[in-house]
Amino acid sequence: MKLIIQIPCFNEAKTLSIALSALPRTVPGFDTVEWLIIDDGSQDDTVKVARECGVDHVVRHTRNQGLARGFMTGLDACLRLGADVIVNTDADNQYNADDIPALVAPILEHRADIVVGARPIETIEHFSPIKKMLQKLGSWVVRVASNTDIPDAPSGFRAISRTAAQRLMVFNNYTYTLETIIQAGQKNMAITSVPVRVNEDLRPSRLVKSIPSYIKRSIATIIRIFIIYRPFRFFGTIGAILFGAGFLIGLRFLLNYLSGEGAGHVQSLILAGALLAMGFQAILVAFLADLLAANRKLLEDVRFRLKSGGEADAGLDRTTEHYPRKEH
C-alpha cells in the first residue's frame, strides 16, 4: 500500500519547510509514504526548499493556474505514481500532520472513499466572525446539494482513495473543496469526516485576500455549485416563484374584473402575463439544464472508465520530477 501526501504550492518558500518537517514518513497500514508538491508557477525558491527537505516528487505548472487546478494536477500525478491513498494538505502548515493516521483510517477500514478533516472552527482565533459565518453557510449549501453531513466542507485536509481520485473532476477555478464533496455525494461515494487539529497561523490565507472579495467569490461559487449540480432545482425554483407570482397577480385581476372593478388594473394584467411567461421559460430551462447535467454525468463515467482502464500503460508526465529521498 502506498500513501502519497500532496501539497499544492504557490510561492511557499517561507513556510513549506515547516509543513514538510511535520509530515510523517511512516503511517500505519502503508508500506510506503511519499511526498509530492505541486509547484503552481512559483517565482520563489519553493522547489529548492522542497528538494532540500526530501520531497520525492515535484509537479510543475509553467504559470499560476489556481488552487483547484493544482489540486487536480496533484491527484493525476499521484495516480500515475501508483498511490493507493492520497492525502492533501496545505503548505502553510495549517493542519496538524499528526492527525494523518486518523484521517486515512476510515479508508483503510473500507468505511469511506473520502475523509475530510473537520477543524474546530469556533475556537480558531484568526478566523473572523464573517469567515466563520461563511464557512457555516458554505458547509450548509454543500450538505443540501450533496446529501452528506460534512461539517467543515471548506477544509482542504482530506484523504482520498484511489478509486475516488479517479472519479473526481473539478470545474471551479477558485477552490476544489466544496465541489469535490458534492461530486462524492452525487456519485454515491462513501464520505465522512474526522476531527482534526490546526496549528498556529503562519501567513494570511491566499483565498481570503479581503472580506468583500471572499464574500463575492463564495457567493459566486455557491450559486455555480447549484447551477452545475442541482440545475433542475435551481431553475425550477426560480420558475415556480415567477409563475406563482404571476398566477396570484392574474387571479387578483380576474377577481377584480368579475366584481366589476377591473378597470384601471391593466398594469396588473400585463405584469401577470410577463411573470407567467418568464416562469414558464425558467421551467423549460430547468428541464434543458437537467438533460445537460445527465449528459455530463455520462461523460464523467466514460472518463472514469478510460482513466481506470488505461492506467497500466500510462507513463509519467514530463513535468513531474523525482528526487531521491533523504533520510531524516
Side-chain angles (χ1 to χ4, degrees):
M1 289 281 286
K2 177 187 284 190
L3 169 67
I4 296 183
I5 304 172
Q6 71 168 36
I7 305 180
C9 298
F10 177 60
N11 295 334
E12 302 286 4
K14 294 182 179 180
T15 61
L16 182 60
S17 61
I18 300 174
L20 290 174
S21 65
L23 294 184
R25 275 301 186 181
T26 59
V27 175
F30 295 95
D31 303 310
T32 306
V33 177
E34 297 178 355
W35 303 346
L36 177 145
I37 72 163
I38 304 96
D39 174 28
D40 192 21
S42 298
Q43 298 176 349
D44 63 359
D45 293 329
T46 294
V47 174
K48 180 181 178 181
V49 171
R51 186 185 303 116
E52 292 174 348
C53 292
V55 165
D56 301 283
H57 314 285
V58 174
V59 183
R60 287 182 168 180
H61 290 164
T62 55
R63 59 186 297 272
N64 181 254
Q65 298 186 30
L67 180 60
R69 183 56 57 189
F71 172 79
M72 288 304 302
T73 297
L75 290 191
D76 290 340
C78 289
L79 289 173
R80 291 195 300 270
L81 290 165
D84 297 291
V85 178
I86 303 164
V87 166
N88 185 84
T89 188
D90 285 357
D92 62 356
N93 199 41
Q94 174 185 174
Y95 308 104
N96 193 319
D98 292 338
D99 290 329
I100 288 179
L103 195 68
V104 300
I107 295 178
L108 293 175
E109 296 167 1
H110 304 289
R111 295 188 290 109
D113 298 306
I114 298 177
V115 185
V116 180
R119 299 165 292 180
I121 298 298
E122 294 298 333
T123 62
I124 300 179
E125 296 181 356
H126 60 271
F127 275 22
S128 67
I130 294 179
K131 186 174 180 180
K132 291 180 180 179
M133 179 191 69
L134 289 174
Q135 187 274 342
K136 291 181 180 179
L137 176 61
S139 297
W140 175 80
V141 170
V142 170
R143 287 195 293 270
V144 172
S146 64
N147 293 322
T148 63
D149 58 354
I150 302 302
D152 186 13
S155 171
F157 193 36
R158 50 187 66 189
I160 306 166
S161 71
R162 182 177 186 83
T163 302
Q166 291 171 336
R167 297 182 68 87
L168 292 177
M169 181 63 195
V170 177
F171 298 97
N172 192 300
N173 292 325
Y174 180 55
T175 180
Y176 61 88
T177 55
L178 308 183
E179 191 171 347
T180 49
I181 294 175
I182 293 173
Q183 283 193 24
Q186 287 204 333
K187 295 175 181 178
N188 293 321
M189 298 184 198
I191 181 168
T192 188
S193 65
V194 297
V196 296
R197 294 162 291 177
V198 295
N199 298 317
E200 181 182 355
D201 189 29
L202 297 180
R203 62 161 174 77
S205 172
R206 296 280 175 81
L207 289 180
V208 188
K209 296 180 180 179
S210 67
I211 293 300
S213 173
Y214 184 68
I215 293 175
K216 179 181 177 181
R217 284 181 172 271
S218 296
I219 292 175
T221 298
I222 289 170
I223 292 175
R224 189 179 183 189
I225 283 172
F226 267 103
I227 292 175
I228 293 177
Y229 295 102
R230 287 290 186 268
F232 188 84
R233 179 183 297 184
F234 182 82
F235 291 107
T237 300
I238 294 176
I241 292 173
L242 293 173
F243 195 89
F247 178 80
L248 291 176
I249 293 174
L251 182 62
R252 175 177 174 271
F253 172 82
L254 181 60
L255 293 175
N256 288 332
Y257 179 81
L258 292 177
S259 63
E261 299 178 3
H265 294 283
V266 178
Q267 299 92 333
S268 297
L269 181 61
I270 295 174
L271 178 61
L275 290 173
L276 287 170
M278 293 168 61
F280 182 72
Q281 289 177 342
I283 292 172
L284 287 180
V285 170
F287 280 101
L288 293 175
D290 195 51
L291 290 175
L292 291 175
N295 186 60
R296 175 180 54 79
K297 291 178 182 178
L298 291 174
L299 291 175
E300 289 177 355
D301 287 340
V302 171
R303 174 182 174 274
F304 168 70
R305 293 176 184 275
L306 291 174
K307 199 166 188 177
S308 59
E311 274 188 349
D313 300 324
L316 292 177
D317 190 89
R318 294 179 181 179
T319 59
T320 305
E321 302 174 6
H322 311 278
Y323 301 102
R325 178 182 298 182
K326 293 184 177 181
E327 299 298 331
H328 296 279

